[in-house]
Structures are given as C-alpha cells and as structure tokens.
Amino acid sequence: MPHQMINLHNLPNKIKPNIPIMTVHHFDPIELNNIAVQHLEHSNTSVACKILATVVKLLLNTPMNYCPENKFSNSIRFQWSKVAYDIKTPNRNELPGNTFMFSRAMIVHDCCTTRQMTFQELCSDAKAAIVYNAGLAFHLAAMENNDSTFLPKARTTYILSQTILRKASENGITSTLCFDYDFHVILLNNLGQTSYELVDYDASSYYFDQLLLNLNHMASQPTSKKSFENSDMVGMASNVIIDPPNAAPCA
C-alpha cells in the first residue's frame, strides 16, 4: 500500500521559521498532534486548527475499537504545554467573571520510538487528548479572531473528548485520563466558557456547577502535584464565583 502523506509545506498560512516544517508519513496522529501543539505555543492558531481538524476527521472515519487491553496504551505519556496562550480581546476584559479559559495544549509522547502509530492503534486516552487539543484550537481561534463561528466547533469537540473517555470506561478500559481530575476540570471549565460565549447560560451553569463540585473534591484531597499552574486553578475558580445571567440579552 503506498504511503499516505500530509505535506505541511502546502499549508497556506504563514508559519514561523523556528518551527520545523516536515512531511509526516502514514498520517501519524501523535506526530501531527505535537506539531500542532508547537504551532499553538507560537500563536499560529490557524495552522494548528487545520492540522488538528484533519486529524479529528481521520479519527472519526476510523472505527473505534474499545479493546480492554490495548498493547500500545502503556507506552503513551501525556504532558501539558508550559505555554499558556495570552488571549487579549476587548470584550473579555469588560466581563466581570466567567472569562477564564484553560489554554494549555496537551503533548502526547509515544515511548516506543521504533514505530509509527496508526489511528487503529491509537488508545482512547491519546484520542481524547488529541480531540481536546482540536477543541482548544477552535476555541482559541474564536477568541483571537473574535469569530463566534468557531465556538460551536470548540464545544462539540470538547464534548467528543469527554465521550471517548466515557465510552472507553463503559467498555472496561483502564484509562489514565478518565480518572484524571485535572483533565476533567479543564474540559468542564472550557465547556462552561464556550457555552457562556455562545450565550447558552443553562449549559454554562451546568458545566460550571460540575466544575465547582470537582474543584471542591480536589481541594479536599491530600496535597498532590497538579498538572497545571496555580494561576490556572485561580482562573477556573473565578469562573464559578459569578453566576451566569438567567437569560440571553434582548435583541
């Protein structure tokens, strides 16, 4: 079977020179994900959106095989990007609360360097992480360009990340991210934020209420290392302090 290739040279958007441009064979989803994370770290949001949208489309066209024992899952590791995207839009600075979005992407490491991962071999955790990154890219594009058309894509993609983990758990898979409170609160926070931006205050209240429950649970646990910075925790806590309005504004 001939090699399938995605040539990042052909992307129409300007790419900063300090990010390697490369051709990825076989559509290796982990390698593509990590290239997209690099672009997010350098504020190349539109490029990251194109790469991750392609990966998610291919993922959705691949049958989900929820095998309880994925022989590749033990070699996968996750790392949050150390770079938080600085979102500066006039509208967000005027809002009294409900404005913090978690903007760190997730890097996926395959400890086995002698193979290329295919979509069929990708474990549920890795799929959920990559899909989360796609949601984040859409979310950042919406904020950066003040373009609300990206928000439904962001919310739908965040929900898909949740769904992948839930279905994996229902099929007996021992998932790292499924029991990771950090990953769950980040998804809840950003779902609440996208819903707020979409003026869906009922959904926003639901997600922020769930976020509060999870944050309280985390705070009640013995001190443990968190995946994110204290500023991220403070930002997420600020979203649950002020209740969203009960109704959308009048036209």
Side-chain angles (χ1 to χ4, degrees):
M1 181 176 179
H3 285 240
Q4 292 180 303
M5 302 171 67
I6 179 168
N7 193 335
L8 300 185
H9 287 281
N10 295 332
L11 288 170
N13 302 74
K14 182 179 178 182
I15 301 177
K16 295 190 177 181
N18 57 339
I19 301 176
I21 311 244
M22 59 191 300
T23 299
V24 181
H25 296 270
H26 294 300
F27 288 118
D28 184 322
I30 290 178
E31 192 168 1
L32 286 170
N33 173 78
N34 294 343
I35 291 171
V37 171
Q38 285 184 287
H39 285 293
L40 287 176
E41 291 178 337
H42 289 83
S43 302
N44 297 331
T45 311
S46 61
V47 177
C49 279
K50 293 178 189 301
I51 296 172
L52 289 166
T54 299
V55 175
V56 171
K57 182 177 180 180
L58 291 169
L59 188 154
L60 291 175
N61 288 331
T62 302
M64 295 280 191
N65 295 319
Y66 295 105
C67 175
E69 294 183 357
N70 187 323
K71 62 181 179 180
F72 300 114
S73 60
N74 290 334
S75 69
I76 302 298
R77 301 290 183 270
F78 303 97
Q79 175 188 348
W80 288 110
S81 168
K82 296 185 182 301
V83 179
Y85 196 94
D86 186 20
I87 305 162
K88 296 179 180 177
T89 65
N91 293 338
R92 294 176 71 81
N93 292 332
E94 295 170 2
L95 295 172
N98 309 114
T99 60
F100 175 80
M101 68 172 289
F102 186 88
S103 58
R104 301 179 197 275
M106 181 171 274
I107 303 163
V108 182
H109 297 288
D110 183 2
C111 298
C112 181
T113 58
T114 60
R115 66 159 183 267
Q116 284 187 314
M117 184 72 72
T118 68
F119 281 85
Q120 287 82 2
E121 297 167 339
L122 202 61
C123 66
S124 298
D125 280 352
K127 290 175 183 175
I130 293 170
V131 171
Y132 157 78
N133 284 339
L136 177 63
F138 292 138
H139 199 169
L140 289 170
M143 299 298 100
E144 181 184 80
N145 302 309
N146 198 22
D147 184 350
S148 62
T149 60
F150 284 100
L151 289 172
K153 295 179 182 179
R155 184 164 68 169
T156 299
T157 314
Y158 286 144
I159 291 171
L160 176 59
S161 182
Q162 283 187 322
T163 302
I164 290 170
L165 292 181
R166 185 181 68 252
K167 288 187 176 180
S169 179
E170 290 171 354
N171 282 273
I173 294 176
T174 302
S175 165
T176 299
L177 293 182
C178 188
F179 299 101
D180 186 335
Y181 277 101
D182 293 352
F183 191 67
H184 280 296
V185 298
I186 288 161
L187 281 172
L188 289 170
N189 181 84
N190 285 7
L191 279 166
Q193 182 57 44
T194 51
S195 299
Y196 188 90
E197 297 283 352
L198 286 166
V199 200
D200 186 351
Y201 295 133
D202 286 341
S204 182
S205 293
Y206 170 79
Y207 289 123
F208 284 146
D209 285 347
Q210 293 298 309
L211 172 62
L212 178 59
L213 290 173
N214 280 272
L215 290 176
N216 287 339
H217 176 79
M218 293 171 67
S220 69
Q221 300 303 301
T223 304
S224 60
K225 183 179 178 181
K226 298 291 188 298
S227 300
F228 38 77
E229 305 294 329
N230 287 336
S231 58
D232 297 322
M233 180 69 89
V234 171
M236 287 187 282
S238 72
N239 280 340
V240 301
I241 294 173
I242 299 177
D243 292 331
N246 292 325
C250 296

